[in-house]
Amino acid sequence: MSLWQSLMQLLDPASGREDEPFSLGDDDGAPAAEQEGASRLMADAQLRAEGIMTHIDNLLEAQGTGKKGLEQAGDLSVSLKENTERMKATFRMPENMDLIVREITVATQPPTPAAVFFMEGLADKTNLNRDILGPLMLLSHLDHHQDGEGDAGPTTFTISTVVKRLLPGHQVTEKHDLEAITDSLLSGDSVLFFEGSSTALAVETKGFPMRSVGEPKTEKVIQGPHDAFVEAFRVNVSLVRRRLKDPRVITKVLTVGQISKTYVAVLWIDGIATPKLVAEVKRRIEAVNVDIVGGAGILEQYIEDNPSSLLPGMLTTERPDRVAAYLSEGHVAVFVDNSPQALICPITFWSLLQTAEDYYLRFPFGSILRFVRMAALLVALLVPALYIAVVNYHPEMIPTELMLFVASTRENVPLPAVVELVLMDLAFELIREAGTRIPSVIGSTIGLVASLILGQAAVEAKIVSPLLILIVALTGLASFAIPNYMTSFGVRSLRFMLVGAATVLGFYGVAAALFIMTVHLAAMQSFGVPFLSPVAPSRGGLSDVLGRGPLFRMEMRPGYTHPLDRRRQGEIIRTWDPKAGPAAEKGGNS
């Protein structure tokens, strides 16, 4: 091989091959591929046609049996062989090896052929053997009293007999359509078909792997419960119900995604949440017509009011206690299967700056923490822009000694202030992202070391000034103090916009940008609720916005959710306190 050929082989590994490399864009194999695709489409069409014809036959046979008989006339055949073949064709067997078929004989008199279908990895085989195969194959041959009869007799086959006497599973449902059976199988259930019956039985045998309940990862717990949501939405719902032992808590399960068929649970408290809000949440979820919904973050983008806004329109949390608190105030919670977060709607801007610890701590400390977060928000948003405005346009706004110090620190820096600020901000964001992607054992250490080395090297190389390093570090720490991750991300993005405005117009640009942001926030809504409520428009409840009043004085629920029951506690809670109402009156009378 010549040097040129070796070089070409190095640049293009496929150049030295005698045969043409594989490419999806080639047209050589198109006829065969098109023929195979057409055959698959024809097979699917034939399968649907068979189901339609069977459904029509069942409807004709069910005439005269009443409404219930017509509802149960699905597209299943009375032939076990035909149903089995249709199931195998639907799941692309034998190419697909995940669907397991177990043909059995139910020990009735006379014996009844049957078939059990389940998905490998989704169904618990222990439950399958104990609750399905064992009773049907081993126990049903014993003589028992028939339902409603006093004499003993052999067990005869009917769907009712199988459900009531032969299947000890706690959840057994009748299925009449192939589509419903497919959904049950893909959810972890086992399905039984019987010879001579057009009804299948779905038995709950879910046993897919699941992470155990652990501590929150993105919402650190200082004081309060340490359990967090997992990827199974039923477990997440149970964690909330542990805290809300009220029969009025309603769970509505919807299915989203043409391919994923993801379960979405909507929770609310009947009698507190307004029906108009509940109906709107369900309407938006049911209107999502996509192939896959993989998690709560994806569903949020489909149903929120302002998907182009830099601030989130829904609150994401992994703490059950926080979801329970919002439900008690008239909000609606949304759980997405395979996602360890819950979505809360509606929300306001002030909700994004609050944490659960604000209520577990005594009210002076909870208020102080909220003031600290608000100050952190202002620092992360405004300090870089104000620095650029002062250095470039308004040096007279700061004392002369400080201005001389700033000028001396930048004397040997060749770059404009805005350039060095943007470069250091981008470097800080790079370190933050790298620390997130690096394995957690060494991620924080590498991020800290990289920050120190990079900052020191930049100052010694006279690329940036020491004061700018201080400003970037301060704004970075301030952004970490914002409790909601998406809000922190939005604030960091808005910071660059303010820096750009300050570069062009100084303080006037910062003021104009802040005015535009305020107007944008005032115009935003979250499921019909103004984003700046209850401040603008004022709807009461201001004691729980910036600060936090005493819990025993927070008697009313927030008005912006329009709850059906505004009062959440009695007018006087501390009845034993001589300084509170009735106790003080009794003391005075005595």
Side-chain angles (χ1 to χ4, degrees):
M1 182 181 294
S2 64
L3 180 62
W4 175 253
Q5 291 176 341
S6 301
L7 181 60
M8 291 298 297
Q9 178 71 20
L10 181 63
L11 297 176
D12 185 9
S15 61
R17 297 179 183 175
E18 295 182 359
D19 55 342
E20 292 294 331
F22 171 77
S23 175
L24 291 177
D26 294 340
D27 296 331
D28 296 339
E34 292 178 358
Q35 183 177 1
E36 182 179 357
S39 63
R40 288 184 178 271
L41 292 176
M42 288 296 297
D44 291 340
Q46 182 178 358
L47 189 64
R48 289 193 297 268
E50 292 176 358
I52 294 174
M53 295 302 297
T54 305
H55 190 195
I56 294 175
D57 293 339
N58 292 338
L59 286 175
L60 293 176
E61 293 179 1
Q63 287 184 351
T65 60
K67 181 179 179 181
K68 184 177 181 181
L70 293 176
E71 291 176 352
Q72 294 180 353
D75 58 1
L76 297 182
S77 172
V78 294
S79 172
L80 176 62
K81 180 180 179 181
E82 183 177 341
N83 291 332
T84 302
E85 293 299 326
R86 289 182 60 197
M87 287 295 299
K88 291 180 178 180
T90 301
F91 282 87
R92 304 315 196 251
M93 291 184 68
E95 184 178 4
N96 182 10
M97 298 182 180
D98 287 338
L99 181 64
I100 307 300
V101 184
R102 176 73 159 87
E103 296 182 355
I104 63 174
T105 299
V106 182
T108 55
Q109 296 296 334
T112 305
V116 181
F117 289 79
F118 65 94
M119 296 296 293
E120 180 73 29
L122 297 182
D124 187 352
K125 294 181 180 179
T126 301
N127 293 338
L128 177 66
N129 295 331
R130 183 189 63 220
D131 298 337
I132 299 178
L133 297 181
L136 291 179
M137 299 173 63
L138 303 177
L139 304 180
S140 59
H141 70 282
L142 300 178
D143 293 339
H144 298 283
H145 290 282
Q146 298 294 323
D147 296 334
E149 298 180 1
D151 298 331
T155 301
T156 57
F157 171 79
T158 62
I159 290 294
S160 177
T161 301
V162 173
V163 173
K164 294 181 179 179
R165 302 177 59 190
L166 303 181
L167 289 179
H170 61 280
Q171 186 172 344
V172 182
T173 56
E174 297 183 3
K175 302 291 183 180
H176 308 279
D177 298 298
L178 186 63
E179 183 179 358
I181 293 172
T182 302
D183 293 340
S184 296
L185 283 172
L186 296 175
S187 300
D189 296 340
S190 298
V191 178
L192 290 88
F193 291 92
F194 302 95
E195 180 66 41
S197 175
S198 60
T199 299
L201 296 179
V203 185
E204 184 180 10
T205 55
K206 296 180 177 66
F208 41 80
M210 182 181 62
R211 180 170 60 94
S212 60
V213 177
E215 293 193 6
K217 301 298 182 182
T218 59
E219 298 175 272
K220 296 299 182 181
V221 179
I222 300 176
Q223 184 174 350
H226 286 249
D227 54 345
F229 293 131
V230 296
E231 284 74 16
F233 83 99
R234 281 298 182 186
V235 177
N236 297 338
V237 172
S238 65
L239 290 176
V240 176
R241 285 191 175 273
R242 282 184 56 194
R243 293 163 169 82
L244 299 175
K245 300 179 178 64
D246 194 317
R248 297 180 299 169
V249 178
I250 298 178
T251 303
K252 176 69 174 180
V253 180
L254 306 173
T255 303
V256 179
Q258 300 296 326
I259 296 178
S260 64
K261 298 187 185 304
T262 306
Y263 291 125
V264 177
V266 182
L267 266 72
W268 72 94
I269 301 180
D270 189 32
I272 296 181
T274 174
K276 188 176 181 179
L277 171 62
V278 176
E280 177 64 15
V281 174
K282 292 192 292 185
R283 184 185 71 87
R284 295 189 186 186
I285 295 176
E286 291 172 345
V288 176
N289 184 16
V290 295
D291 285 344
I292 297 177
V293 174
I298 296 177
L299 181 65
E300 177 185 4
Q301 300 175 58
Y302 287 123
I303 65 175
E304 65 179 342
D305 290 78
N306 305 280
S308 59
S309 176
L310 294 179
L311 295 180
M314 303 178 70
L315 178 65
T316 303
T317 180
E318 56 179 344
R319 296 189 57 169
D321 57 334
R322 202 173 186 191
V323 173
Y326 274 106
L327 289 178
S328 67
E329 292 182 349
H331 296 259
V332 175
V334 178
F335 291 96
V336 181
D337 199 15
N338 304 316
S339 180
Q341 293 93 19
L343 300 175
I344 305 296
C345 52
I347 62 165
T348 63
F349 173 76
W350 320 106
S351 303
L352 301 175
L353 301 178
Q354 300 173 1
T355 65
E357 274 71 27
D358 296 348
Y359 299 93
Y360 288 113
L361 299 176
R362 298 176 65 243
F363 80 91
F365 309 129
S367 298
I368 291 174
L369 289 178
R370 289 189 178 180
F371 292 142
V372 169
R373 293 191 207 106
M374 183 58 66
L377 172 67
L378 297 177
V379 169
L381 190 64
L382 295 177
V383 167
L386 294 179
Y387 171 78
I388 295 298
V390 167
V391 170
N392 289 350
Y393 294 97
H394 312 285
E396 71 279 358
M397 298 297 294
I398 59 177
T400 304
E401 293 80 2
L402 181 58
M403 189 62 237
L404 293 176
F405 171 75
V406 173
S408 64
T409 59
R410 300 198 66 257
E411 182 178 2
N412 296 322
V413 177
L415 299 176
V418 63
V419 174
E420 58 177 329
L421 176 63
V422 171
L423 288 178
M424 290 308 301
D425 254 339
L426 292 178
F428 189 87
E429 295 296 330
L430 178 62
I431 295 174
R432 185 204 302 259
E433 184 66 16
T436 303
R437 304 306 170 192
I438 295 175
S440 58
V441 178
I442 59 175
S444 57
T445 303
I446 290 182
L448 177 61
V449 172
S451 301
L452 294 175
I453 294 176
L454 183 63
Q456 184 67 25
V459 172
E460 291 182 355
K462 299 185 182 338
I463 298 177
V464 297
S465 63
L467 181 59
L468 186 65
I469 295 292
L470 178 63
I471 291 176
V472 172
L474 180 63
T475 54
L477 289 176
S479 65
F480 282 123
I482 300 175
N484 185 269
Y485 175 75
M486 295 305 300
T487 304
S488 175
F489 214 122
V491 169
R492 283 146 50 192
S493 303
L494 291 172
R495 181 174 67 208
F496 288 100
M497 298 175 59
L498 285 172
V499 168
T503 304
V504 176
L505 294 175
F507 280 160
Y508 298 103
V510 174
L514 286 177
F515 177 76
I516 294 174
M517 291 179 187
T518 305
V519 172
H520 171 69
L521 293 179
M524 283 179 57
Q525 287 193 346
S526 175
F527 288 84
V529 173
F531 197 57
L532 294 182
S533 295
V535 176
S538 178
R539 296 185 181 275
L542 297 178
S543 60
D544 193 28
V545 177
L546 295 180
R548 204 218 80 192
L551 291 179
F552 52 85
R553 294 181 181 173
M554 299 172 63
E555 304 167 357
M556 309 300 290
R557 294 185 174 90
Y560 59 82
T561 58
H562 300 278
L564 300 181
D565 183 7
R566 283 294 309 276
R567 179 169 292 276
R568 70 168 125 199
Q569 63 188 28
E571 185 175 356
I572 299 177
I573 299 299
R574 296 167 57 92
T575 56
W576 51 268
D577 190 351
K579 299 179 182 179
E585 184 178 350
K586 291 180 181 179
N589 293 336
S590 61

